[in-house]
Each structure stands twice: as C-alpha cells, then as structure tokens.
Amino acid sequence: MSKITSKLSAAEKKILRQIYWRSFTLFSAVTPAKQGASGFEYSMLPVINHFYKNDDDKKAAMVRHMSYFNSNLAMSPFIMGVAASMEKQNAKSKDFNVESINAIKTSLMGPLSGIGDSLFWGVLRVIAAGIAVSLAQSGNWLAPIIFLLLFNVPVQLVRWYGGQLGYTLGSTYIEDLYKKDLINIMTKAASIVGLMMVGAMTSSMVKFSLKWNMVVNGKSILNAQSMLNQIFIGLLPLGITLLCFYLLKNKNISINWLILGTIVVAVGLALVGIV
C-alpha cells in the first residue's frame, strides 16, 4: 500500500484524509429517495473544492454527487476514492465523459455492498461477538471492549486504505482507458451493471400484492395475484416503479409528492381490500 500512496502529492493525501473523516457522516441524513447521497456529497467536497476553480463546475459536481447512493459503510471510501480520481480527471480533461462518474458509482454499490455486508456483518461481527460473549460469561469486564476492537479495527483499516486504493487505482486505470479510447465502453458496461442493480433493488424492496379475487356464488374462481404471477412475477411493483420514474423525469413531479401520493394510494387501496 505504501508503494501506491507514495505517488500521491501532499495535497492529495490531505484530501484522502478529509474524505476518510467525512465519510463517517455518510448515513447521518438518510432520505428514502437519496439514502446516503448528502453524506457522499459532503465527503467529496474537499475533492471538488481542490480540483475545480470555477463555481459553475463546483456546483455541477455537487449536484452530480447528490444522486442516490447506498453501499456498505466500510466499502464506501473505496467508491469515494474512485469517484475522486474521476473528478480529478474531469477537471483536467475537457473531453471527459462526466456521465461515467455516476455510472461507475452505481455499478460499484451493489457488488461492494454484498462483499461488505457478508464479510463484516455476516462473518466478522459474529466472530467478534462469539469471542466477547465467551469472555463475558467468564466474568471478564473487557468483553465489550474486545468486541469493539475486534470489529472496528479491521473495518477502519479497510475504510482508511480503501479510499487510498480507490483513488490511486482509479487514476491509473482511467488514464489508461482514455489513452486506449475505451472509456465509452467502460461507461456503457458500468451503466448496464448499475441498471441490473437497480432492477434487483426494485424486485426486493418494492412490494405490491393484490388481495382482490373474482368470486361467484361465494366461491373464488380467479386469484388476481396468481394470474399476474403467471404473466410476469413482480409485474405490479415494476409497473409502479416505472410510473414513478416517468412522473419524476418527464412530468417533474417532486419526490415528496410522489412519496405522499404513494402512501395515500396504498392506504386507500388497503382500506377497500384491493391490496
């Protein structure tokens, strides 16, 4: 790791330290529509203020990083490091594909969430808790301290070095991609991965099941939800999600109105027994 970071300037090392400390605020202001976007944007401010000299460029970068972001906390600094390296390249190159920044962010969120959640929440936390519980049962007062150290020290090491690794590797490979004229292919591939992740999130997070059935002479002859599942499983959640995207993008409906409207419609349909 020291060989990688040795190539960084003093200013870049300072920026990465600022990103590390600011990244603790990632989920301090979570919203349903943006999740940790405000924390991500706050963490990226040192990068934006350092590399961009024009106020309009700074504003554009701030807006860019207010897009939806949700990933494992330990793995997030790596994504921030990659995004920081791309912002640096964007500030240097006039022909930089700005859309690639959010495309890469989105494509990394899902895989790194899976790795981070499995490794830190599923494995490390259980091991640390098992050791701490054994100590607690024997009356050792150091048990909670041991648990916190066993869990947090590896997490903080990954967070600290992950940001540096993401920044240095991002700078190296992005420059190579531009030299080889492969940046558009990378952006397209990242966008596809990102869309797959959003589709998976829609399937797992958006729930809508019909309770209405066709009844004749007191006997149910048609189960509406079962019939829809035979056509396309998750058809209604997908349709609702696409409708919300359409209203948000094409009709400029506020996110707050969409959330309120969804709640009102859901309560109304539940009251009449449709869902």
Side-chain angles (χ1 to χ4, degrees):
M1 182 62 68
S2 59
K3 293 182 179 179
I4 296 176
T5 56
S6 63
K7 300 179 181 179
L8 301 177
S9 66
E12 288 175 316
K13 291 179 180 179
K14 180 181 178 180
I15 289 171
L16 291 174
R17 287 195 298 270
Q18 291 174 322
I19 289 176
Y20 169 78
W21 291 112
R22 285 171 175 249
S23 65
F24 282 97
T25 68
L26 181 61
F27 294 113
S28 60
V30 175
T31 65
K34 299 287 188 178
Q35 292 295 325
S38 58
F40 194 99
E41 188 268 341
Y42 175 71
S43 301
M44 294 298 293
L45 279 179
V47 180
I48 295 170
N49 290 327
H50 179 78
F51 290 114
Y52 294 109
K53 308 305 178 186
N54 184 287
D55 287 343
D56 289 337
D57 291 336
K58 290 181 180 180
K59 291 176 183 178
M62 292 173 68
V63 171
R64 181 160 56 247
H65 290 295
M66 276 302 293
S67 61
Y68 179 92
F69 183 83
N70 187 17
S71 190
N72 180 269
L73 188 60
M75 309 301 284
S76 294
F78 177 83
I79 303 176
M80 293 176 182
V82 173
S85 69
M86 299 183 77
E87 293 291 355
K88 173 187 174 182
Q89 187 68 26
N90 183 44
K92 290 167 51 180
S93 305
K94 293 183 179 180
D95 59 342
F96 189 85
N97 186 350
V98 180
E99 295 180 358
S100 64
I101 299 175
N102 275 337
I104 292 297
K105 279 174 55 180
T106 305
S107 67
L108 289 175
M109 283 193 302
L112 291 184
S113 288
I115 294 171
D117 290 347
S118 299
L119 181 62
F120 295 110
W121 290 108
V123 177
L124 181 60
R125 183 182 59 163
V126 174
I127 293 174
I131 295 173
V133 167
S134 298
L135 293 173
Q137 288 177 337
S138 63
N140 193 326
W141 63 272
L142 288 174
I145 299 175
I146 295 297
F147 169 76
L148 292 174
L149 290 175
L150 288 176
F151 180 75
N152 284 287
V153 169
V155 169
Q156 297 311 315
L157 288 174
V158 170
R159 294 182 71 255
W160 175 259
Y161 289 109
Q164 299 178 18
L165 184 64
Y167 183 81
T168 51
L169 291 181
S171 297
T172 301
Y173 287 111
I174 289 167
E175 288 180 3
D176 289 343
L177 287 169
Y178 263 92
K179 289 178 182 178
K180 297 176 182 178
D181 198 27
L182 296 175
I183 189 67
N184 290 329
I185 296 176
M186 181 203 69
T187 303
K188 185 70 173 180
S191 299
I192 293 172
V193 174
L195 288 172
M196 291 172 61
M197 189 204 75
V198 172
M201 290 175 59
T202 300
S203 177
S204 62
M205 297 176 65
V206 182
K207 305 297 182 183
F208 191 96
S209 298
L210 286 178
K211 292 182 179 179
W212 176 83
N213 298 316
M214 184 179 291
V215 179
V216 177
N217 296 327
K219 183 179 180 181
S220 177
I221 62 172
L222 177 63
N223 186 300
Q225 186 60 52
S226 176
M227 181 186 69
L228 289 175
N229 288 341
Q230 293 177 13
I231 299 172
F232 190 94
I233 295 178
L235 179 61
L236 288 178
L238 177 61
I240 293 170
T241 303
L242 293 177
L243 175 61
C244 289
F245 271 115
Y246 171 77
L247 294 175
L248 185 65
K249 184 176 181 180
N250 295 351
K251 299 299 182 179
N252 296 319
I253 303 297
S254 168
I255 290 176
N256 292 330
W257 281 113
L258 279 177
I259 294 174
L260 180 61
T262 301
I263 293 173
V264 171
V265 172
V267 171
L269 292 177
L271 288 175
V272 298
I274 295 179
V275 298

